[in-house]
């Protein structure tokens, strides 16, 4: 018998592997944060013992979900700003961020967002926010997998870094997290409308120098496209391409307003698109032409966007929208079949989130890091279970997630967070929220 750290036994396992296989009564052995073995429970328990055995009877066991676009620490401003178009909405958000975004508030808000995401079965996220070193620090503390890194933004607020110094300051972060088990460093220029061409080029050069991913917003609204065309004589996609920002390590959030020719370009460049259907609908931005992207061969991932624009970090709702929204437009009930929707938030997402993660997470296979979630199948909305992928795409929700492991560590067990003091976090957020609300929304 071989000793491992943790065994998960007796579950319906959906590894999200290449064959999209299932194991009816399956088990996973975890050692030193990695999946050491996976197979029928009888075989695994005959070969391995562990001090921690998680009984997954009547549970589905699958890779943790990956949120491909989020601003975690925007959680402090959830519902602060009312319903309006993106551009004036952003102006108000930036006023709030300038006043309240500091290292300590970013740490608190990041902890709140990681608690929400872990409870919803999300084990990794592609994050963009001020003070990324603080978001990364909290992710390390609570055991959350995060792709994040230095941002580029022409205005020096709220982190006080002039645009001329961002590249120099960025190197500190990139060097600190060059070989971290949980943090994947990336470069995040905010957008073509908030970062000057010279610094977009500098951001791309820095990402290339370090061989890391690049994450930015593009073509979210029609107004953004018109503004960028007027200022630079090119659409956001054309502008990014001319400046050398489109490549296989690039993740573009949104791409709602893109032409057929631009979709071909995104496919040719190997760009990943983070589709954020709930945010785009809530903000009235439009509906991304995902069927055309799929037809062209663009890799499409799924994101929630920040809690201030989408109001929650629920990737199950995003999955449901990704599955059904485009069918309503195309009258094609076969578009985005459930298995493809599951892949969007697991294996495909891992491949799209910067270099190397495709071999690290996103599926349950021997040698991968153990990012695993368990869902309780004994629920009225999940019975009877004929087809697990359909259940995941159309029926399951955040509350069905019972237990979450990230990098082999149990971060939630039977709905109880293990690495975050949730009551204390909520009390701190409520207190700060009262202060922000009193100042920003006077009665
Ligand atoms: Zn965003």
């Amino acid at each position: 018998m071989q000793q491992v750290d943790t065994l998960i036994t007796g579950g319906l396992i959906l590894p999200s592997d290449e064959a999209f296989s299932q194991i009816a009564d399956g088990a996973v052995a975890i050692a030193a944060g990695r999946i050491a073995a996976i197979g029928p429970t009888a075989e695994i328990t005959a070969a391995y013992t562990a001090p921690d055995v998680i009984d997954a009877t009547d549970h589905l066991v699958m890779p943790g979900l990956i949120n491909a676009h989020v601003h975690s620490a925007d959680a402090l401003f959830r519902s602060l700003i009312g319903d309006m178009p993106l551009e004036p909405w952003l102006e108000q958000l930036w006023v709030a961020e300038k006043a309240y975004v500091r290292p300590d508030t970013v740490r608190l808000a990041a902890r709140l967002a990681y608690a929400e995401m872990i409870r919803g079965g999300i084990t990794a996220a592609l994050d963009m926010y001020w003070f990324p070193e603080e978001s990364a620090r909290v992710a390390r503390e609570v055991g959350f997998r995060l792709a994040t890194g230095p941002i580029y933004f022409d205005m020096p607020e709220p982190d006080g870094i002039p645009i001329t110094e961002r590249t120099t300051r960025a190197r500190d972060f990139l060097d600190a997290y060059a070989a971290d088990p949980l943090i994947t460093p990336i470069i995040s220029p905010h957008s073509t409308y908030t970062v000057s061409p010279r610094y977009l080029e500098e951001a791309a050069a820095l990402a290339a120098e370090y061989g890391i991913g690049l994450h930015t917003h593009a073509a979210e609204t029609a107004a953004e496209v018109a503004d960028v065309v007027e200022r630079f004589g090119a659409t956001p996609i054309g502008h990014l391409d001319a400046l050398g920002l489109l490549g296989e390590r690039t993740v573009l959030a949104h791409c709602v307003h893109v032409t057929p020719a631009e979709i071909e370009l995104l496919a040719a460049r190997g760009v990943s698109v983070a589709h954020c259907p709930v945010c785009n609908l809530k903000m009235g931005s439009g509906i991304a032409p995902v069927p055309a992207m799929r037809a062209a061969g663009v890799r499409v991932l799924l994101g929630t966007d920040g809690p201030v624009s989408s109001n929650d970090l629920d990737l199950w709702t995003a999955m449901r929208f990704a599955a059904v929204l485009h069918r309503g437009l195309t009258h094609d009930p076969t578009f985005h079949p459930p298995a493809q929707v599951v892949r969007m938030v697991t294996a495909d997402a891992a491949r799209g989130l910067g270099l190397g993660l495709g071999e690290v997470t996103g599926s349950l296979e021997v040698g991968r890091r153990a990012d695993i979630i368990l869902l309780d199948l004994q629920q009225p909305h999940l019975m009877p279970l004929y087809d697990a992928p359909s259940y995941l795409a159309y029926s399951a929700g955040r509350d069905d997630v019972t237990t979450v492991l990230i990098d082999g560590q149990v971060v939630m067990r039977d709905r109880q967070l293990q690495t975050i003091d949730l009551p204390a976090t909520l009390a701190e957020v409520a207190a700060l929220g009262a202060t922000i609300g009193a100042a920003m929304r006077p009665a």
Side-chain angles (χ1 to χ4, degrees), residues 201-271:
E201 285 183 319
E202 209 168 289
L206 189 64
E209 179 188 330
Y210 279 81
I212 58 177
L214 188 139
H215 178 209
T216 190
H217 297 94
E220 182 174 359
T221 69
E224 171 200 331
V225 173
D227 173 44
V228 173
V229 165
E230 190 185 323
R231 284 161 66 187
F232 304 111
T235 63
I237 301 298
H239 190 54
L240 289 170
D241 193 49
L243 297 172
L245 276 79
L246 300 187
E248 292 183 353
R249 297 172 196 149
T250 304
V251 179
L252 298 184
H254 305 301
C255 294
V256 174
H257 298 274
V258 288
T259 65
E262 289 175 333
I263 291 171
E264 293 296 333
L265 179 68
L266 295 177
R269 295 281 185 265
V271 167

Side-chain angles (χ1 to χ4, degrees), residues 11 41 54 85 91 109 118 170 201 218 318 382 435:
T41 296
I54 297 171
E91 295 291 334
I118 290 169
E201 285 183 319
L382 307 179
T435 304

Side-chain angles (χ1 to χ4, degrees), residues 143-395:
F144 188 75
R145 192 178 301 287
L146 199 69
T148 194
I151 67 169
Y152 281 74
F153 201 85
D154 279 351
M155 303 302 290
E157 269 98 24
D159 61 6
I161 304 176
I163 187 74
T164 50
E165 290 176 22
R166 289 204 177 266
T167 297
T168 307
R169 298 283 291 271
R171 292 179 187 281
D172 297 339
F173 183 97
L174 301 178
D175 294 338
Y177 287 102
D180 192 275
L182 281 174
I183 308 301
T184 301
I186 51 144
I187 304 288
S188 298
H190 176 267
S191 71
T192 52
Y193 57 95
T194 50
V195 186
S196 310
R198 175 181 168 184
Y199 294 104
L200 287 172
E201 285 183 319
E202 209 168 289
L206 189 64
E209 179 188 330
Y210 279 81
I212 58 177
L214 188 139
H215 178 209
T216 190
H217 297 94
E220 182 174 359
T221 69
E224 171 200 331
V225 173
D227 173 44
V228 173
V229 165
E230 190 185 323
R231 284 161 66 187
F232 304 111
T235 63
I237 301 298
H239 190 54
L240 289 170
D241 193 49
L243 297 172
L245 276 79
L246 300 187
E248 292 183 353
R249 297 172 196 149
T250 304
V251 179
L252 298 184
H254 305 301
C255 294
V256 174
H257 298 274
V258 288
T259 65
E262 289 175 333
I263 291 171
E264 293 296 333
L265 179 68
L266 295 177
R269 295 281 185 265
V271 167
S272 295
V273 171
H275 178 36
C276 303
V278 179
C279 167
N280 296 153
L281 289 171
K282 185 216 160 207
M283 301 295 292
S285 300
I287 296 174
V290 174
M293 291 181 197
R294 288 289 190 194
V298 175
R299 179 185 288 132
V300 184
L301 320 177
L302 256 186
T304 59
D305 211 337
V308 73
S309 58
S310 68
N311 292 59
D312 69 14
L313 305 177
D314 184 352
L315 211 44
W316 300 96
T317 302
M319 287 164 71
R320 193 89 61 92
F321 272 89
V324 304
L325 174 62
H326 307 286
R327 298 178 190 184
L329 294 171
T330 60
H331 301 182
D332 176 5
T334 68
F335 183 71
H336 268 174
Q340 192 175 22
V341 172
V342 173
R343 281 205 179 95
M344 286 172 87
V345 292
T346 55
D348 285 357
R351 286 191 202 102
L353 288 199
L355 279 186
L357 271 186
E359 304 304 314
V360 172
T361 186
S363 66
L364 306 186
E365 295 177 73
V366 171
R368 302 246 172 166
R369 307 304 298 182
D371 296 349
I372 302 174
I373 63 174
L374 275 65
L375 288 92
D376 180 7
L377 295 172
Q378 291 294 304
Q379 298 292 334
H381 59 284
L382 307 179
M383 295 286 274
L385 182 64
Y386 300 123
D387 183 67
S390 296
Y391 145 68
L392 294 171
Y394 307 133
S395 312

